[in-house]
Amino acid sequence: MNNIQYVAPQSIDEAVAAMAAANGTGRVLAGGTDLLIQMRAGVVSPGIIVDVKKIVEMTTIDETSGGYRIGAAVSGAVIGEHARLKKAWPGVVEAINLIGSKQIQGRASAGGNLCNASPAADSVPALVAAGAIVTVQGPKGRRDVPVEKIHAGPGRTTLQPGEIVVSFTLPARPAGSSDAYLRLIPRTEMDIAVVGCGVSLTIQNGTCTAARVGLGAVAPTVLLVEDAAKALAGSRLDDKALEAAAAACRAACKPINDKRGTIAYRTKIAGVLLKRAAGIAAERAGRK
Amino acid sequence: MSSQPYKWIGTRPNRPDGADKVTGRARFGADFNMPGQLIGKVLRSPHAHAVIRSIDTSAAEALPGVKAVVTAKDFPEQPNVIVPTGEMQVNLRDVTRNIMAREKALYEGHAVAAVAATTEAIAREALSLIRVEYEVLPHVIDVEEAMRDDAPVLHDHLRTEGVKPEPQKASNIAKRMENIKGDVAAGFKQAEIVIERSFTTQPVHQGYIEPHATLASAAEDGQVQIWSTTQGHFQVRGFCSRLLNIETSQIRVTPSEIGGGFGGKTVVYLEPVAVRLSQKTGKPVKMVMSREEVFRASGPAPGGSVKVKIGARRDGRIVAAECTIALQAGAFPGSPIGPACWTSFACYDIDNIQVIGYDVVSNRPKVAAYRAPGAPISAWGVESALDILAQELGMDPIDLRLKNAAKKGTKTSYGPTFDTIGFVETLEAAKNSAHYKSPVKPGYTRGVAAGFWFNVGADSSAAAHVAEDGTVTVISGNPDIGGSRASLALMAAEELGVDYEKVRPVIADTSSIGFNFVTGGSRVTFATGLAVVNAVKDMIRELKGRAAKTWGVDPEAVVWENGMARPAGSNVGEFDPLSLAQLAASAGKTGGPINGHAQLNVQGAGPGFGVHVVDLAVDRDTGIVTIDRYTAAQDVGTAIHPSYVEGQLQGGVVQGIGWALNEEYIYNSKGKLDNPGFLDYRMPVASDLPMIETILVEVANPSHPYGVRGVGEVPIVPPLATVGNAIARATGVRMTDLPMSPPKLSAALDAATPRMAAE
Ligand SMILES: Cc1cc2nc3c(=O)[nH]c(=O)nc-3n(C[C@H](O)[C@H](O)[C@H](O)COP(=O)(O)OP(=O)(O)OC[C@H]3O[C@@H](n4cnc5c(N)ncnc54)[C@H](O)[C@@H]3O)c2cc1C
C-alpha cells in the first residue's frame, strides 16, 4: 500500500480545491462505510482522502420554505432523529435508516450512498421518488441535478472529475402527500436489497393526483419509473391501477441473475413491492 | 429435572473464562505475537482444477523484505495412510497436498505457495510476483455430476472402494458403502403405503467468527513452538510432526481461545506452512487467514443428495426403509458419508433397513467436520419423508415418531444395540410442551422433525493439583469451545465437595498434559469430564492417605465427605475432620505435593436425540419465511451447566435454520466461489430469529458417573426438515432442495400456483 494523504477541510471551496489538486487521485470520505471497505479490499487506492464531515453545509439539515435541504454527509442516525423531516418524508428517512445496522447508521450518509453508485443503494429509489435535487460543486462551480441523473452504471456516476455532492433538496409539496420505501432482503438486516422500491404520492379527495416511483437493484442504475407513476396518478389506487403500476415496474426491470436473485424473481418482486409501498404511502398520506 | 442431590451440578455459575472474554482480555489466534516475527501469506489457485506446470518464485524471493518462499517441494511426500482427526478420517498423502498443492490445484483457493516477509504489504506484493503456469482442466462441483461417467476426474489413482470386482477405471466416487438390517424387499411387501422422494442440499460453511490464525517459531535446536486457534492442539502437533518429519515431543502447541470451530478447526491449514517458513527463516512466522480465504480454502461441509423410500402400514408402523446418500468430499476423499448413513434411520426401530452411501470428490475445498457431520443431510431427507408419511396417514407427526421410536434394546442398522436412550422421553417432552400444546397462530404453520447423533468418547488426560492454600487447579487438554471449563470445574467441585469458586480449570499445552483427542464429537464434558472426575478421585485417594498418616490410621479407615477427610466410623477413633486447606498446609510433612492424574480411552458415549418444533409464516408473494417460535427438546443426559447446554441447543438450531433457509456456496460457471463473505453467505442475524426455546430432557447416560451425554451436535440435525416440513404444510409445496431461499421458494410457489406466474 502506498502512502495516503488525509485532509479535512472546513469549506466546500477548500474541499473542491483539494480534489482538483489531487489530479484524479482524490476521494471524498463521508462515513467511509463503502470507501474504507473498498480500500481494504484493494479495489480503490486513493492518493488523498478528502474528509467532508467538517463542512457545515454538508453536515446539517435545513428547512427551506416548506422543503428540506439535507447535507450530503449527514449520517443516517442524525437524519432519523429529525422529527419534522421524518414526518414530511417518512419514505426517504426510512430508506436512509435501512442502511446497515446501528453502527453503520452512525457513519453512513445519503451522499455516500448515492456516489458509491450501487444500483442497490437503499436511499436512492426513495430520493428518486421524492424528486430530490442534488447540488453539486466542482472546479467549474455549482449546479443542480435531479437525483436520478447521477447514476451512470454500477459504481459509475455522471459527476465530473473533482465534483462533490453538497446536498439534497426535497421540494415542498401539498397536504395529502407522503412516501414510502420498501426493500426485499433475504434476512431482516445487514443485507443488500434484491429489489428496492420508493413511492411518493399526493392524494386529494381519495384520488392520487401526483406520483413518482423509484426502483433499485433491477437495472444498472436506479430507475425513475414514469409509466408506473402515470398508472397511479389520476386513479383512486384501486387494484386495477396498482396492478397497472406493478406491470410498469416489471416492464422497466432490466435485472441480472446473480447471487442475490434471479431475473424472474427480481422482476416479480418489483411489482410486489410497488403495490405494498404504494399502499403504505397512501395510508401515510391520509387516504380515507 | 435430575433427582440426584447434587450441590454444584445443574447450577449456573459464571464461566471461568467469561470475564476475559467480555472485556477483550482473552487472546484469540491472531492475538499472539513475537519479537522479530515475519508475516506469512498464501498464494492460492485462481482455478478450480488445473495442472501446475511450474512455479517460479525467483522474483518474489528477490523482493527486499521477503525472507522465504515455500511450495510443495518444501514438504516431504507422505504415505497413503489414513489417520483419524476428530470425527473425520484423513489421508496423510492428501493432507500434505491440501496444505500445499502438488501436481494439481484441485479447487479455487487451493494453496500453491507461501511467503514470509517482514510486513504484510511486502508479503502480499511477493505473492503477486510468483509466476505459476497452470493448465486449466474442466472441473466439477455438484455431487451428482461428479458421479457421472463423463465427469472430469480429479485423481487418476482413485478407484472406487467397496465395489466388486475392483474397478479398473479412475472415478470421482471414492467409496461405496452400505449398511443393511433385515430384508428390505420383504419389508416393502408388507407396506400399505410407500413414500419415495429425493432431496438435495448445497454445500455450507461452519461460519466460525474467528478466522484460522497461527504463530510458529522453530528454533535452531529443532524445537518448535506453535500458538494456534484450534479444536485440537494435539492434532496440530501430530500433523506438524508427520507432515514435516519432526519428532512429536519437539513440538509444543499452545491453543488460543477459540472463536468458534464447529468441527472446522480439527484439521490443519496454516500451521505446517508457518512452521516450514519459520524453519527456513529462523524467525517466528505469523499467519492469519482473511474471511475470504476461510470461505475459499477451509473446511466446508458437503452438499449432497439423499433418496429416501419408506414403507409403512396404515397404523403408522414403518416396515421398511431405504436410502441412498451421496456426499461431496471436496478435493480429496473423506466426506462424512459413514455418519450420514448410520444416523439416517437411527431414531427409529425398523426391522428392515438398507442404506447405501457414496463418498464423492469434486473441485471444492476438502470438507471438514461440521457439527454432527453428515447427519443433517440424511435427516433432511428422512425426516421430510416421514412428514409426508404423517400427512398421508393423517397422523400427528410426533405420534408417528413415537410409534416407531428407538428404545433401549433397539438394534441399529449399523451394528450397536442402544442402551438407555431418551428418544421417547424427548418426543413426549416436545408433545407436552407449552409450544406444541398452544394453538397455531393464524397465518402460521407448525413443523416437526427429529434428529440423532452418536456422540464420541476417546482419549483424554487430566490432572488435579491442590495448591498450598487448599484451592484446586484442574488441568485438561481440550480447547474450551462451548463452556467446557465451567462444566469440568463443576464436576470437580461436586466430586471434591468444595466450592466451584475454589476450582480453577486450565487448558494445558501439548507438553504440559498427556494426550487429548480433539474438542469435537460432543466429547469434552463427557470424556474429558470423566478424566477430570477420575483425576479428582485420584487426588482424593491421596488426600485420604495424608489424613490417615496424620491420624496414624489405615487409609481405608478414612472417608472423604463434603470436602473433608473424616474417620470412616467411631471405631477408627475420635478425630476432627481435616479440610482441604488443613491437608494442604501440612502436605510437606505428609508426603509432599498433593496431585491427582487420570488418563483413559473413554467408551460408552451416550447417544442423543432431538425433537424440534417450529411455527413459521411464508410470505407467498416474496417467498420469505418468518420464524415465530422454535422449540428444541433434547435428551441431554445430565445438564452439568444448564445455560451452556441450552446455548448449545440454541446455537445448533440457528445454524440449522441458516442451512435450511439461506446458506449456500454459490459457484460460478468457472467453479469460483461467488460469495466468500458473510454478506452473501447468509447466516441468520439476530433479528431474523426469535429466542430459541429449549427443553432439557435429562435421561442419564449409564456410562458416566454424572450421567453426561454429549449435547453439542444433535441440535443441528433436525432444523433443516423441521423448517421444510412447516413450509410444506404452510404452502402445500414440498421443497426438496436446500436452501429454501426466497427466490427458490417463490419460484416453487409460482410453479405450483399459476395465479402468480400469470401476473
Ligand atoms: C455492514 C454494512 C452494511 C451496509 N448495508 C447497506 C444497506 O443496507 N443498504 C445500502 O444501500 N448500503 C449499505 N451499505 C453500504 C454503505 O454503508 C452505504 O452505501 C452508505 O450510504 C455509504 O455512505 P458513506 O457516507 O459511508 O460513504 P463513503 O464510504 O464515505 O463514500 C462512498 C463513496 O462515495 C464517495 N462520496 C461520498 N460522499 C461524497 C460526496 N459528498 N460527493 C462525492 N462523492 C462522495 C466516496 O468517495 C466513495 O467513493 C452497507 C455497508 C456496510 C459496511
Side-chain angles (χ1 to χ4, degrees):
Chain A
M1 215 175 272
N2 35 10
N3 284 336
I4 304 167
Q5 286 185 49
Y6 168 88
V7 290
Q10 305 281 331
S11 73
I12 294 172
D13 289 347
E14 286 171 67
V16 168
M19 288 293 283
N23 248 328
T25 68
R27 278 280 178 160
V28 174
L29 172 78
T33 60
D34 280 315
L35 184 65
L36 297 183
I37 286 166
Q38 289 162 9
M39 285 170 61
R40 269 185 73 155
V43 180
V44 295
S45 36
I48 179 163
I49 289 175
V50 181
D51 185 342
V52 294
K53 287 192 301 298
K54 302 263 184 315
I55 301 170
V56 175
E57 195 184 349
M58 291 185 68
T59 50
T60 47
I61 303 172
D62 306 318
E63 292 196 44
T64 54
S65 53
Y68 287 87
R69 197 199 59 80
I70 306 171
V74 180
S75 72
V78 169
I79 290 171
E81 284 168 5
H82 200 293
R84 289 171 61 83
L85 174 64
K86 204 168 169 176
K87 192 147 181 279
W89 293 98
V92 169
V93 175
E94 75 192 343
I96 295 171
N97 285 164
L98 273 177
I99 296 170
S101 57
K102 266 231 150 44
Q103 294 92 323
I104 297 291
Q105 279 291 305
R107 308 286 306 170
S109 66
N113 200 225
L114 177 68
C115 297
N116 185 56
S118 159
D122 276 310
S123 71
V124 183
L127 288 165
V128 167
I133 301 297
V134 177
T135 300
V136 172
Q137 185 170 328
K140 293 187 191 138
R142 278 202 176 203
R143 61 187 180 108
D144 285 345
V145 199
V147 66
E148 60 271 18
K149 301 274 190 242
I150 298 289
H151 280 189
R156 288 186 299 118
T157 66
T158 57
L159 294 176
Q160 298 303 302
E163 274 189 333
I164 293 174
V165 170
V166 177
S167 61
F168 299 90
T169 303
L170 301 176
R173 54 183 186 165
S177 302
S178 197
D179 64 342
Y181 174 76
L182 286 178
R183 69 170 178 187
L184 186 133
I185 53 172
R187 289 184 291 207
T188 46
E189 62 177 357
M190 297 304 281
D191 220 322
I192 291 186
V194 176
V195 178
C197 180
V199 177
S200 170
L201 39 76
T202 303
I203 298 185
Q204 270 154 1
N205 301 323
T207 299
C208 174
T209 55
R212 278 173 69 93
V213 174
L215 260 189
V218 295
T221 62
V222 172
L223 303 175
L224 170 68
V225 190
E226 283 170 332
D227 286 347
K230 275 188 207 141
L232 297 176
S235 80
R236 299 183 70 83
L237 300 180
D238 48 287
D239 287 350
K240 205 172 143 225
L242 287 174
E243 180 44 39
C249 283
R250 289 194 295 265
C253 292
K254 293 184 273 303
I256 50 168
N257 277 327
D258 72 0
K259 57 195 169 193
R260 298 189 184 129
T262 58
I263 291 172
Y265 186 65
R266 288 194 150 111
T267 307
K268 173 189 170 188
I269 295 302
V272 171
L273 293 191
L274 177 282
K275 289 185 190 175
R276 292 183 182 182
I280 296 167
E283 290 303 322
R284 287 174 178 168
R287 173 169 70 176
K288 302 281 144 28
Chain B
M1 275 293 159
S2 171
S3 55
Q4 299 276 13
Y6 293 135
K7 175 141 191 267
W8 290 104
I9 286 172
T11 64
R12 302 170 185 251
N14 284 340
R15 57 199 286 168
D17 48 319
D20 275 4
K21 282 179 177 161
V22 298
T23 55
R25 205 174 274 114
R27 295 217 287 165
F28 290 85
D31 295 329
F32 288 81
N33 293 293
M34 279 180 85
Q37 75 189 16
L38 303 173
I39 301 297
K41 285 272 159 213
V42 176
L43 181 69
R44 298 183 179 279
S45 168
H47 306 296
H49 194 192
V51 174
I52 299 173
R53 289 228 166 283
S54 65
I55 305 178
D56 178 358
T57 60
S58 54
E61 278 162 281
L63 185 71
V66 172
K67 300 297 178 192
V69 181
V70 293
T71 64
K73 281 195 221 122
D74 294 276
F75 299 86
E77 180 59 287
Q78 293 295 329
N80 196 0
V81 291
I82 301 217
V83 294
T85 63
E87 290 154 303
M88 311 273 286
Q89 306 272 315
V90 299
N91 182 317
L92 283 178
R93 182 190 175 280
D94 296 340
V95 179
T96 196
R97 279 166 176 74
N98 196 33
I99 61 157
M100 205 50 79
R102 271 172 197 258
E103 304 81 7
K104 273 180 168 186
L106 290 161
Y107 53 94
E108 187 225 2
H110 198 165
V112 293
V115 303
T118 49
T119 69
E120 182 170 343
I122 296 174
R124 281 185 195 288
E125 198 182 338
L127 293 185
S128 70
L129 296 174
I130 299 174
R131 296 274 158 269
V132 187
E133 202 191 322
Y134 294 103
E135 178 193 332
V136 179
L137 302 172
H139 71 277
V140 62
I141 304 273
D142 180 73
V143 66
E144 300 277 341
E145 283 171 29
M147 290 171 80
R148 292 217 304 253
D149 272 346
D150 58 350
V153 169
L154 272 72
H155 302 284
D156 293 334
H157 67 273
L158 201 62
R159 304 284 180 277
T160 308
E161 184 191 323
V163 288
K164 287 197 189 99
E166 206 179 297
Q168 297 303 307
K169 217 178 124 218
S171 162
N172 291 327
I173 304 173
K175 181 162 146 189
R176 179 189 184 278
M177 58 177 290
E178 57 179 36
N179 57 286
I180 290 172
K181 173 186 171 189
D183 177 347
V184 273
F188 278 114
K189 284 206 189 101
Q190 302 165 33
E192 291 164 344
I193 172 169
V194 174
I195 306 295
E196 197 170 357
R197 285 294 177 98
S198 294
F199 299 87
T200 48
T201 71
Q202 300 307 311
V204 295
H205 195 273
Q206 295 85 343
Y208 31 85
I209 290 293
E210 184 200 20
H212 298 269
T214 193
L215 171 64
S217 176
E220 289 70 10
D221 62 1
Q223 294 194 59
V224 173
Q225 291 222 59
I226 302 171
W227 293 262
S228 166
T229 173
T230 175
Q231 290 175 247
H233 44 309
F234 289 89
Q235 280 59 40
V236 170
R237 181 179 72 170
F239 276 121
C240 290
S241 164
R242 307 279 297 246
L243 295 176
L244 299 166
N245 291 340
I246 304 171
E247 283 181 356
T248 309
S249 65
Q250 294 294 313
I251 305 174
R252 180 177 187 180
V253 186
T254 306
S256 69
E257 292 300 335
I258 179 167
F262 310 108
K265 289 181 184 161
T266 53
V267 284
V268 289
Y269 303 102
L270 300 176
E271 292 88 349
V273 179
V275 170
R276 196 73 195 89
L277 285 167
S278 180
Q279 285 177 326
K280 277 189 103 169
T281 57
K283 303 254 186 196
V285 174
K286 176 169 174 168
M287 299 183 81
V288 181
M289 280 196 197
S290 66
R291 177 66 55 197
E292 231 191 277
E293 288 180 290
V294 169
F295 272 107
R296 290 195 200 283
S298 79
S305 66
V306 191
K307 295 189 185 74
V308 191
K309 186 175 167 191
I310 294 176
R313 291 199 309 254
R314 284 262 149 222
D315 64 358
R317 187 78 185 112
I318 299 169
V319 290
E322 210 175 87
C323 93
T324 303
I325 308 163
L327 296 187
Q328 285 168 328
F332 302 98
S335 72
I337 187 64
C341 290
W342 304 321
T343 56
S344 56
F345 295 113
C347 288
Y348 305 105
D349 180 9
I350 305 171
D351 288 338
N352 306 297
I353 297 176
Q354 174 180 301
V355 184
I356 296 172
Y358 294 97
D359 182 35
V360 184
V361 295
S362 70
N363 295 110
R364 300 190 58 222
K366 165 76 174 75
V367 299
Y370 180 21
R371 270 188 136 143
I377 301 176
S378 46
W380 158 239
V382 168
E383 293 292 316
S384 295
L386 279 179
D387 197 55
I388 301 172
L389 179 63
Q391 282 180 303
E392 301 225 340
L393 293 173
M395 239 178 128
D396 174 277
I398 295 185
D399 287 342
L400 173 66
R401 287 168 174 85
L402 273 169
K403 187 148 195 116
N404 295 286
K407 304 172 190 65
K408 181 169 181 169
T410 298
K411 186 167 163 37
T412 61
S413 69
Y414 56 95
T417 298
F418 285 129
D419 194 339
T420 304
I421 53 170
F423 189 38
V424 169
E425 289 84 343
T426 307
L427 283 163
E428 277 164 357
K431 194 173 172 185
N432 294 325
S433 66
H435 182 176
Y436 204 67
K437 286 187 156 167
S438 70
V440 185
K441 281 199 251 170
Y444 289 81
T445 345
R446 188 161 288 166
V448 173
F452 163 86
W453 186 249
F454 323 87
N455 301 317
V456 173
D459 295 335
S460 281
S461 309
H465 301 169
V466 181
E468 303 89 287
D469 64 354
T471 56
V472 177
T473 310
V474 168
I475 305 153
S476 62
N478 281 110
D480 178 357
I481 204 162
S484 58
R485 269 184 281 229
S487 299
L488 299 183
L490 282 168
M491 284 186 275
E494 189 74 48
E495 192 67 35
L496 202 50
V498 300
D499 254 37
Y500 168 78
E501 299 294 338
K502 303 281 182 224
V503 180
R504 176 100 334 232
V506 301
I507 296 158
D509 64 70
T510 52
S511 301
S512 308
I513 187 81
F515 183 86
N516 279 273
F517 193 55
V518 293
T519 296
S522 303
R523 65 176 288 277
V524 177
T525 304
F526 167 66
T528 303
L530 188 56
V532 164
V533 168
N534 286 1
V536 169
K537 284 196 162 112
D538 188 38
M539 191 167 80
I540 291 173
R541 192 185 43 71
E542 185 66 32
L543 285 161
K544 289 198 291 192
R546 301 304 176 87
K549 207 163 179 182
T550 310
W551 295 330
V553 303
D554 277 355
E556 292 74 46
V558 180
V559 292
W560 188 261
E561 270 174 22
N562 292 324
M564 307 242 192
R566 294 172 199 278
S570 50
N571 54 342
V572 176
E574 283 289 312
F575 300 108
D576 284 341
L578 285 169
S579 70
L580 204 53
Q582 287 167 318
L583 289 164
S586 61
K589 285 177 263 167
T590 58
I594 303 168
N595 303 326
H597 295 274
Q599 51 272 320
L600 44 154
N601 176 272
V602 186
Q603 303 296 322
F609 296 82
V611 179
H612 292 193
V613 182
V614 71
D615 289 4
L616 56 74
V618 178
D619 182 333
R620 284 190 155 265
D621 289 337
T622 62
I624 286 192
V625 172
T626 305
I627 297 198
D628 182 55
R629 189 170 184 187
Y630 198 110
T631 301
Q634 186 174 316
D635 65 327
V636 297
T638 303
I640 301 294
H641 191 305
S643 300
Y644 302 147
V645 174
E646 289 157 6
Q648 289 295 318
L649 268 54
Q650 291 166 328
V653 167
V654 170
Q655 287 181 309
I657 291 173
W659 197 334
L661 289 180
N662 278 308
E663 291 180 42
E664 65 179 318
Y665 269 48
I666 303 170
Y667 287 98
N668 72 13
S669 61
K670 297 205 161 77
K672 293 192 190 194
L673 182 62
D674 206 15
N675 58 334
F678 283 134
L679 178 54
D680 286 304
Y681 181 86
R682 291 194 166 72
M683 301 186 77
V685 295
S687 57
D688 289 349
L689 297 173
M691 187 53 142
I692 309 297
E693 296 167 50
T694 57
I695 302 173
L696 307 185
V697 182
E698 296 197 290
V699 179
N701 175 8
S703 311
H704 188 282
Y706 292 118
V708 172
R709 287 173 199 274
V711 300
E713 292 171 287
V714 174
I716 202 173
V717 183
L720 288 57
T722 304
V723 171
N725 293 345
I727 291 174
R729 285 166 184 260
T731 62
V733 175
R734 178 65 60 176
M735 297 297 284
T736 57
D737 180 37
L738 294 183
M740 298 174 277
S741 59
K744 240 155 76 182
L745 183 52
S746 161
L749 294 177
D750 285 353
T753 40
R755 172 185 70 87
M756 308 286 309
E759 272 190 355

